[in-house]
Amino acid sequence: MADEFRPEHIIVTGGAGFIGSNFVHWVVDHQPGVHVTVLDALTYAGNRENLAGIPEDRMTFVHGDICDAALLDEIVPGADAIVHFAAESHNDNSIADPTPFVRTNVEGTYQLLEAARKHGVRFHHISTDEVYGDLALDDPARFTEETPYRPSSPYSSTKASSDMLARAWFRTYGVPVTISNCSNNYGPRQHIEKFIPRQITNILCGIRPKLYGDGLNVRDWIHTEDHSSAVWAILTRGVPGETYLIGADGERNNIDVLRAILERMGKGADDFDWVRDRPGHDRRYAIDSTKLRRELGWQPAHTDFAEGLDDTIAWYRDNEDWWRPAKEAVEARYAAQGQ
C-alpha cells in the first residue's frame, strides 16, 4: 500500500450522472475536509437535481465539456486530483451511434490526462468490467487485473481505449494514475434506460417489463455506495500505475433480477415480455476483487441484494418527479429498436 494521499480539493467529472453523483454525495457525507468541483456537460444522462442537498460550501458546479482543454486549464489548477466518471455508457446507444462514445470516452479522457500532466494532478480513471469481454455461463473463472482485454461493443471498446491512454500517461509521462474496473452498479439516481430502473419504472407506469434474449445473461451487481467507498480507497491508498477491480460477489442472471423486482412490486413471476437479444450481448461478467480487498483493506457494506433492491425500488417510487419526464422518450427509443 502506498502512503495515504489526502486530497483537499477534487474534481469529479460526470458528477451529475448516476455513479458520479452518488460518489459526490458519499465524499460530502464521509470526508468533511474535502471540497468537490463537479464538471458535467449535463447530457441526457446528467441531472443537476442529482446533486440536490449538497451544501454550497462543499461543492462547486461547472457546466462544461471534458473535451474543452481551455476550460480544463481554468479549473484544474489548485485541485489535488481528478476522479474521472464522465462517459457515454449505454451499450444499445453505442451500437446505434458510436460517435459520441469515441468523442467522450477517448478524446475526453485524453484531454483530462493532458490537464493532469500539465498541472501536476493525481488522476483516477473509472472504467468497466466490460473491457474484458464476457465469460461463459458455465465458466467458474472471474475477471482479474490480469485478464486480457476483449471488448465486445463500441461502448466497451472506447472504455478499453481510455484505460490504455491512462496507462500510457503513467508510464510515459509519470502522471500518477490509478484505474478501477467495476461491475454493474445499482441504486438511487440511475438513469431509467438502465436495466434495474427501467424494470422498476415500467411496473410503476403499468408497462410490462421486457427481457432480452433468454434472460440467462449474468451480471455482477454492486451497490453504488460500495463502489463509492472503493473508489475513495483506491484514490487515497492505491498505488499509482495500478489497476483495481471493484466487485461485491453479486452475480445474478437477468431473469432472476427481474423476477425479484416483480415479486417485490406485487407482480407475477412471468409478468414480462421477451424481446430479441442485443447484438453481441455479453453472456457473463464476474469480478474477482481480491487485490482491492487484500491490498487496500476494502470490504462492501451492502451485501444483501434483496435489501438493496427494496431500497432502490422505494427510491424510484418516492422520486417520480425525478424520472417521469424522461420515461416516454426512453421507451420510444427502445420501441424503435424493437426492445
Side-chain angles (χ1 to χ4, degrees):
M1 189 187 300
D3 293 339
E4 185 156 351
F5 170 62
R6 298 179 179 272
E8 296 179 356
H9 177 199
I10 64 173
I11 295 171
V12 177
T13 71
F18 163 49
I19 306 179
S21 67
N22 278 287
F23 177 73
V24 173
H25 280 277
W26 188 93
V27 170
V28 170
D29 291 344
H30 293 87
Q31 304 297 329
V34 177
H35 185 84
V36 180
T37 295
V38 171
L39 173 60
D40 201 293
L42 294 180
T43 62
Y44 79 95
N47 187 338
R48 188 69 174 80
E49 287 301 306
N50 287 345
L51 300 167
I54 295 178
E56 289 186 8
D57 63 335
R58 298 295 309 281
M59 184 190 77
T60 303
F61 182 81
V62 177
H63 182 200
D65 189 335
I66 59 173
C67 293
D68 185 342
L71 175 61
L72 297 179
D73 277 341
E74 290 179 24
I75 69 171
V76 172
D80 302 308
I82 296 169
V83 186
H84 177 33
F85 287 87
E88 291 282 349
S89 65
H90 196 276
N91 270 305
D92 290 325
N93 295 348
S94 80
I95 293 166
D97 181 11
T99 305
F101 291 77
V102 174
R103 183 178 185 276
T104 299
N105 299 351
V106 181
E107 182 186 346
T109 301
Y110 159 74
Q111 294 292 357
L112 288 164
L113 286 164
E114 281 290 85
R117 176 163 79 106
K118 183 175 181 180
H119 301 292
V121 171
R122 194 175 181 109
F123 189 92
H124 180 67
H125 178 56
I126 310 294
S127 190
T128 171
D129 57 359
E130 296 190 37
V131 298
Y132 301 114
D134 62 352
L135 299 163
L137 295 180
D138 59 355
D139 186 348
R142 295 182 176 189
F143 298 137
T144 74
E145 289 80 4
E146 307 305 318
T147 302
Y149 275 31
R150 292 191 307 119
S152 305
S153 69
Y155 159 59
S156 57
S157 65
T158 59
K159 290 299 289 185
S161 301
S162 62
D163 291 7
M164 296 301 182
L165 288 173
R167 291 193 179 100
W169 260 242
F170 168 75
R171 180 162 178 170
T172 303
Y173 302 117
V175 176
V177 167
T178 47
I179 298 171
S180 57
N181 298 80
C182 189
S183 56
N184 289 60
N185 279 231
Y186 76 99
R189 307 184 190 93
Q190 187 170 26
H191 195 280
I192 55 172
E193 68 183 4
K194 300 291 189 173
F195 182 74
I196 287 178
R198 187 183 181 208
Q199 315 303 351
I200 294 169
T201 56
N202 274 350
I203 294 167
L204 291 174
C205 290
I207 301 169
R208 283 171 65 86
K210 296 176 174 57
L211 188 62
Y212 286 131
D214 59 13
L216 298 180
N217 303 66
V218 170
R219 299 296 177 258
D220 193 348
W221 294 99
I222 183 172
H223 194 282
T224 186
E225 284 192 6
D226 283 335
H227 182 245
S228 295
S229 68
V231 168
W232 186 260
I234 297 165
L235 175 68
T236 57
R237 304 198 298 276
V239 177
E242 292 294 312
T243 295
Y244 300 86
L245 267 56
I246 304 174
D249 304 319
E251 281 189 71
R252 283 169 177 79
N253 66 38
N254 289 347
I255 194 167
D256 286 347
V257 173
L258 175 54
R259 283 180 167 152
I261 293 169
L262 287 164
E263 177 187 352
R264 281 167 165 69
M265 299 185 73
K267 300 293 182 181
D270 295 316
D271 277 355
F272 65 91
D273 295 326
W274 300 96
V275 295
R276 64 179 173 81
D277 209 357
R278 168 194 296 155
H281 198 182
D282 288 341
R283 289 302 275 172
R284 172 174 165 258
Y285 305 143
I287 287 280
D288 181 343
S289 57
T290 299
K291 177 180 176 179
L292 173 65
R293 301 184 193 211
R294 183 184 65 240
E295 296 186 8
L296 305 187
W298 175 84
Q299 292 288 334
H302 296 268
T303 54
D304 186 333
F305 183 72
E307 183 180 297
L309 208 52
D310 284 337
D311 292 344
T312 302
I313 291 167
W315 190 89
Y316 283 93
R317 186 176 275 129
D318 295 342
N319 290 274
E320 191 167 328
D321 290 348
W322 181 89
W323 57 264
R324 177 72 71 168
K327 183 63 179 174
E328 186 176 340
V330 167
E331 292 307 314
R333 188 167 69 247
Y334 272 116
Q337 298 169 358
Q339 298 162 340

